[in-house]
Amino acid sequence: MQTRNLFWPLALVGQLCLVSQAQAQLLDDIEIKSSGKDAVAVIRFSAPVQFQRSIAAKSGDLVQVFYNILPRKDSTITLVGERRIAGGNGLPQLVVTDEAVSNDDLFKRKLLVRFSQSVGFKVRAGRAKETLEIVMEGMGSMVSTAAPVPKAKEAGKHYAVLLQSSAAPGEQLKASIPAILQEAEVFTSSRVADGKTSYEISLGYFGTLAEAENAQRLLVKRFPAAAVVPLVQAAAPQQPSPSVAQPSDTGAAPAVIASAPEVEASAAKLMAVADAANDRGDYQDAIAALDKLLGLPPNTRTRKAQEQIGLTRLKSGDNARARGEFETFLQLYPTGADSEQIRQYLVNLPKETTVAKVRGAVEPVSTTNGSVSVFYYGGQSQTRSQDFVDSPLGGLPILQSENSLSGTDQKQVQTNVDVNWRYRDAEKDMRFVVRDTYSADLMPNRPNKNRLSALYFDQRSLTNGTAFKVGRQSPIGGGVLYRFDGVQAAYTFAPKWKVSAVYGVPTDLLLDSKRHFYGAWVDADALAPNMSGSVYVNQQMIDDQIDRSAVGAELRYFNEGLALSGQVDYDQVLKGLNIATVQGSWQFPDTTVINFLFDRRATPVRSLGNILFFQDPSLPTPARNIQDLLATTPIDMLRGQVNGITSFQTQGMVGFTTPVATNWQAGGNVNYTNVDEIKPIAIILPNGQPSTGDLWSVGAQLIGSNLYSARDTHVFNASFLSGPTYRGTLLSYNNLTGINEEWQVEPSIRLYVQDDSLGNKMKRWTPGIRMTYRLIKRISLETELTYEIADITGPTRTESSQRMFYYLGARFDF
């Protein structure tokens, strides 16, 4: 009993030391990229996540994205939603708000995404385990993948001649300009394609294509690679080859022409080469193969090749030539489903497309956005549950059987500041991020707290493959487990291969010990088609001793709707497995989603510092760092004790969501958790610690959308829970209704009933409501009220309680 009494005070110290981890932000960044004809908003989190399902409003400007936070030591959570804004410059603006689905389980969350206009979109799991993606269909051409091109100095001058290009900047002209063209201007430019930057020297400007072609014929003798490029208007449509069948005057699509077997065989081979090149992102190889295919006599693959070469040029960022290929396709094939799709591509392409990008004339783009919010929290607190999750002994599953509300009133004013500055030009992309939360506690004898969750500067070179990030930041790989103050740097030394290194100090305090870590890892984005991975080494020191010495690997697979990821982490010094996990999401065209997870990990993760929470109770003064322990205990014995107190947690999950009618989805899930026992250890834990046993949860969901308006959603849930000592049933209903552009209302109600092995019975009703009012475009008012009515009866107790939690506040977005 003595051991137990010492263990919990020490654990409480750890909780207080690590309270700065609670309520840290989850959303890290939103970046919009082009992917063929589509634009993709990549939403990055500061923790691994798993996509569950999405519910879209009929209006096309609102979607709820449900996801879970996956197991990790420093699972960072926020009680109230945080917000990010992305888009603009022709793309719809996205306002993304992250929040918990309920206050009972902060690891089950949702994003509320608002678009500034109606958009065709779909939601999917991201390529990295920390990301989710929103695909905006047909908007890829609106994403600027390059710096702007200067317009011709004189009206009507729309063409130039590319003289030479190089992978290195600063190359001199290989020959002189002919005297007859001495009046023309020589300028430099840069182009990014498939992650590679090339530097070009061109001559201009020419008013017509004929003038440019005449100049090209003079220049090609001195510059063999000389080619005409359009600057501010689309390339002229290619004239159909005489060998290609022409459309009839009636506008009907030409019939597919069967050609000689050897021609068909060549066409099939070239199409396979092009498809493989496209899959691995080698667009130039794909274009070369498609060019050869289109040079063959007309065959059954000619039409498809003409479509594919346009799409491939679009993927490579060559919008001007893509337009030319599309217009040629429509000249040849004016009718058909693919023709309508090509017309849509042309509509979405900018009216002024460019190929060359002149560095000297690039106008840098600088943006600043973020939010400031002030909220007042009142009623009952939830500090104990959350603090335990973030303690060194945390990581145990949140059980429905736990009473998540304590009896302590809460009076707190919380101010959140989130500032994101970004600067981009032809050579670099820079970011500066600050995220801070100040909590003024109005209860007597409680301190105010400041939680700085992010303060970093990030720069990525667009010309030499280097990148670095310095300041307070969240881990993004390499075996780093904690939010830290430090620096990480990366170098892309080959296409789709990157090496990174990190040095940092964990931001959470561990009594009086001093910790730091360093590590390195290699990322490969193309181990095989659609497969990427990384390997890492990471070593953490504590008071001049090795705290953790990890080696590990991650493997990721992403193809259409299937996203898989797995990780293994092993400690070389403590000689034990830390993490073995695999998770995935499989999304089908009809929006059916299947999810699964298997995760087995040390709880807590093996590290020498864990022993500070399991000490000999006979010590007059508990040690507060490793050096104090070493005064009486050899290092090998301490490491053996760490392994002895390390148990394993196993979690498994499988679930699905599928449409069952026009406005309805149905889903189900099975969850399993078991935390192994800790066997008795002499002196420090003589009685050991029993296993939690098998904890099961089986749930079913029915999800309705747009039942009475363009912006209403309904989630009905029934869950059945069981463990060695209890049985429980949870019934819940959540609604979200957008009354108009200003008002949004979210009522909910939950009923939980439980019987335990001691004969106790509990019934708990929890109605609640959340409301948001958009005062003006950038200012919104938010409030939530949750009321709990609980009755507990048993052989030795009868108890009734009424508890309330609420907050209200305002948020300014900029």
Side-chain angles (χ1 to χ4, degrees):
M1 185 62 68
Q2 231 179 343
T3 301
R4 189 165 185 147
N5 288 339
L6 178 59
F7 167 80
W8 285 111
L10 284 171
L12 179 60
V13 172
Q15 295 165 23
L16 297 176
C17 291
L18 296 185
V19 73
S20 63
Q21 292 286 56
Q23 301 186 25
Q25 281 88 348
L26 269 171
L27 285 177
D28 185 47
D29 187 28
I30 302 175
E31 184 176 4
I32 299 181
K33 301 179 178 181
S34 63
S35 177
K37 63 183 178 64
D38 302 325
V40 180
V42 181
I43 303 172
R44 182 173 294 278
F45 298 83
S46 60
V49 298
Q50 184 179 47
F51 172 62
Q52 297 295 303
R53 61 181 178 272
S54 64
I55 308 175
K58 184 169 60 177
S59 57
D61 60 357
L62 178 70
V63 62
Q64 295 180 80
V65 183
F66 292 82
Y67 72 95
N68 291 342
I69 303 174
L70 294 177
R72 196 169 84 172
K73 167 63 189 76
D74 69 331
S75 294
T76 50
I77 321 171
T78 179
L79 295 181
V80 178
E82 52 176 320
R83 186 169 300 183
R84 297 283 184 277
I85 300 176
N89 298 323
L91 286 166
Q93 187 181 75
L94 286 73
V95 179
V96 181
T97 304
D98 173 70
E99 56 194 30
V101 173
S102 74
N103 291 328
D104 286 345
D105 189 349
L106 300 177
F107 292 87
K108 296 184 183 297
R109 307 187 66 81
K110 71 176 180 180
L111 297 177
L112 184 64
V113 184
R114 290 182 175 274
F115 300 89
S116 59
Q117 64 191 58
S118 182
V119 177
F121 62 85
K122 61 182 179 182
V123 184
R124 67 189 185 193
R127 293 178 182 271
K129 64 180 182 298
E130 296 87 5
T131 63
L132 298 174
E133 296 182 354
I134 299 177
V135 180
M136 294 175 282
E137 298 171 343
M139 294 187 173
S141 60
M142 299 181 184
V143 181
S144 175
T145 58
V149 180
K151 297 184 178 181
K153 292 192 173 182
E154 299 177 28
K157 305 290 188 179
H158 300 309
Y159 294 89
V161 177
L162 173 64
L163 302 177
Q164 64 186 53
S165 63
S166 170
E171 185 178 75
Q172 300 298 313
L173 277 176
K174 297 178 180 178
S176 60
I177 304 298
I180 195 172
L181 296 173
Q182 286 294 326
E183 296 298 320
E185 180 179 348
V186 176
F187 57 88
T188 60
S189 62
S190 63
R191 175 205 300 271
V192 178
D194 192 26
K196 302 176 183 177
T197 302
S198 60
Y199 300 90
E200 301 172 344
I201 302 178
S202 302
L203 183 76
Y205 300 90
F206 303 100
T208 67
L209 179 60
E211 291 176 3
E213 289 176 340
N214 287 334
Q216 187 265 349
R217 281 191 286 270
L218 293 171
L219 292 162
V220 74
K221 297 177 181 179
R222 302 186 184 189
F223 302 93
V228 175
V229 292
L231 293 179
V232 295
Q233 68 180 27
Q238 299 177 8
Q239 296 302 315
S241 168
S243 62
V244 179
Q246 300 297 312
S248 66
D249 294 337
T250 64
V256 175
I257 300 174
S259 37
E262 61 272 14
V263 174
E264 291 294 337
S266 297
K269 182 177 179 180
L270 288 168
M271 183 62 79
V273 171
D275 289 343
N278 260 317
D279 287 343
R280 64 176 182 269
D282 291 337
Y283 301 129
Q284 296 308 312
D285 287 353
I287 290 170
L290 292 167
D291 267 330
K292 291 179 182 179
L293 197 161
L294 291 170
L296 295 173
N299 57 78
T300 56
R301 289 175 174 79
T302 299
R303 180 169 182 151
K304 185 66 176 177
Q306 185 62 50
E307 175 190 20
Q308 286 299 314
I309 196 169
L311 292 174
T312 304
R313 290 193 186 280
L314 193 63
K315 291 178 185 177
S316 70
D318 194 344
N319 291 346
R321 291 189 176 92
R323 180 181 289 274
E325 303 289 4
F326 290 152
E327 290 176 345
T328 297
F329 182 95
L330 293 177
Q331 284 183 354
L332 297 173
Y333 316 110
T335 61
D338 51 357
S339 302
E340 293 306 313
Q341 185 64 62
I342 294 298
R343 287 189 178 90
Q344 188 60 47
Y345 293 153
L346 285 171
V347 168
N348 292 330
L349 275 170
K351 292 181 179 180
E352 293 185 350
T353 58
T354 61
V355 177
K357 296 178 292 179
V358 180
R359 182 192 307 165
V362 168
E363 295 182 5
V365 177
S366 178
T367 59
T368 302
N369 61 67
S371 65
V372 177
S373 64
V374 179
F375 286 88
Y376 173 80
Y377 296 87
Q380 306 297 323
S381 69
Q382 301 180 31
T383 54
R384 186 267 169 192
S385 294
Q386 183 55 50
D387 287 346
F388 185 72
V389 167
D390 287 319
S391 75
L393 303 175
L396 299 179
I398 295 178
L399 306 182
Q400 187 61 44
S401 59
E402 283 191 33
N403 188 340
S404 62
L405 294 175
S406 72
T408 304
D409 288 334
Q410 177 175 274
K411 295 180 181 179
Q412 187 179 97
V413 176
Q414 188 177 104
T415 303
N416 298 278
V417 177
D418 184 347
V419 179
N420 297 266
W421 171 82
R422 193 162 198 165
Y423 175 93
R424 282 171 286 183
D425 59 26
E427 297 184 343
K428 57 187 175 296
D429 184 352
M430 300 188 299
R431 295 176 62 211
F432 179 70
V433 175
V434 180
R435 295 176 194 141
D436 188 74
T437 299
Y438 180 78
S439 299
D441 203 313
L442 306 183
M443 295 293 292
N445 303 317
R446 289 188 180 177
N448 299 331
K449 298 173 185 176
N450 189 75
R451 303 181 180 99
L452 181 64
S453 57
L455 177 62
Y456 64 82
F457 175 78
D458 184 6
Q459 177 168 313
R460 180 167 57 96
S461 172
L462 303 178
T463 60
N464 59 24
T466 60
F468 70 90
K469 187 176 182 180
V470 59
R472 178 160 296 187
Q473 54 196 282
S474 298
I476 59 169
V480 181
L481 298 179
Y482 315 95
R483 188 180 302 272
F484 66 95
D485 296 329
V487 60
Q488 57 179 314
Y491 175 61
T492 302
F493 61 90
K496 302 189 178 182
W497 285 85
K498 180 173 68 175
V499 61
S500 303
V502 64
Y503 174 86
V505 176
T507 56
D508 57 312
L509 302 178
L510 186 57
L511 301 179
D512 294 338
S513 61
K514 304 297 182 183
R515 295 183 296 166
H516 68 273
F517 65 85
Y518 49 89
W521 65 98
V522 177
D523 288 296
D525 286 340
L527 290 172
N530 308 308
M531 184 174 290
S532 60
S534 63
V535 293
Y536 62 82
V537 293
N538 185 279
Q539 182 150 302
Q540 181 164 298
M541 306 298 293
I542 180 170
D543 300 329
D544 298 324
Q545 299 293 326
I546 296 176
D547 187 30
R548 160 179 159 82
S549 181
V551 294
E554 296 185 30
L555 198 62
R556 300 174 291 274
Y557 179 84
F558 186 92
N559 186 22
E560 297 297 334
L562 181 60
L564 300 172
S565 66
Q567 180 185 5
V568 175
D569 184 286
Y570 179 84
D571 195 294
Q572 304 174 89
V573 172
L574 295 172
K575 299 188 184 305
L577 185 70
N578 269 319
I579 301 169
T581 182
V582 60
Q583 66 99 5
S585 296
W586 195 358
Q587 189 169 6
F588 296 86
D590 67 349
T591 71
T592 294
V593 179
I594 298 175
N595 301 295
F596 71 89
L597 165 73
F598 174 81
D599 185 274
R600 183 164 174 82
R601 65 183 55 218
T603 305
V605 172
R606 297 177 198 269
S607 66
L608 185 61
N610 293 344
I611 200 61
L612 290 171
F613 295 91
F614 295 85
Q615 297 185 40
D616 183 349
S618 64
L619 293 174
T621 303
R624 297 185 60 83
N625 58 47
I626 296 299
Q627 294 301 327
D628 291 345
L629 288 176
L630 288 174
T632 58
T633 310
I635 186 65
D636 289 341
M637 183 176 292
L638 290 179
R639 289 172 178 160
Q641 291 174 347
V642 167
N643 285 328
I645 61 173
T646 299
S647 65
F648 273 84
Q649 172 185 304
T650 303
Q651 285 187 267
M653 183 276 293
V654 61
F656 76 95
T657 303
T658 186
V660 293
T662 302
N663 296 79
W664 291 94
Q665 301 177 60
N669 61 277
V670 177
N671 295 270
Y672 169 81
T673 302
N674 186 304
V675 181
D676 297 345
E677 69 170 332
I678 298 178
K679 295 180 179 180
I681 301 173
I683 302 178
I684 66 172
L685 198 65
N687 299 321
Q689 181 172 299
S691 168
T692 62
D694 296 333
L695 310 176
W696 289 94
S697 170
V698 179
Q701 300 85 37
L702 184 63
I703 304 150
S705 59
N706 310 312
L707 301 185
Y708 52 76
S709 71
R711 294 190 187 91
D712 64 275
T713 60
H714 313 259
V715 180
F716 301 86
N717 177 75
S719 296
F720 305 94
L721 307 101
S722 68
T725 61
Y726 72 94
R727 298 289 186 274
T729 301
L730 172 67
L731 303 175
S732 67
Y733 167 73
N734 293 80
N735 171 276
L736 183 148
T737 299
I739 298 175
N740 51 35
E741 293 295 328
E742 290 78 31
W743 280 97
Q744 179 177 295
V745 182
E746 300 176 65
S748 64
I749 188 167
R750 299 163 62 88
L751 170 63
Y752 181 68
V753 180
Q754 176 182 292
D755 299 328
D756 66 27
S757 57
L758 299 177
N760 297 309
K761 295 184 178 181
M762 180 181 70
K763 179 184 291 186
R764 187 169 68 195
W765 287 93
T766 313
I769 187 169
R770 176 187 297 169
M771 293 186 292
T772 303
Y773 175 66
R774 187 178 299 181
L775 189 63
I776 57 176
K777 184 176 181 180
R778 295 183 179 274
I779 297 180
S780 60
L781 308 179
E782 300 177 26
T783 185
E784 180 178 350
L785 172 65
T786 302
Y787 198 79
E788 179 187 278
I789 304 170
D791 294 301
I792 302 175
T793 59
T796 60
R797 61 185 292 199
T798 299
E799 180 180 307
S800 296
S801 63
Q802 297 180 6
R803 296 168 175 169
M804 181 174 63
F805 168 78
Y806 64 91
Y807 71 81
L808 55 91
R811 185 192 311 273
F812 170 66
D813 298 305
F814 58 88

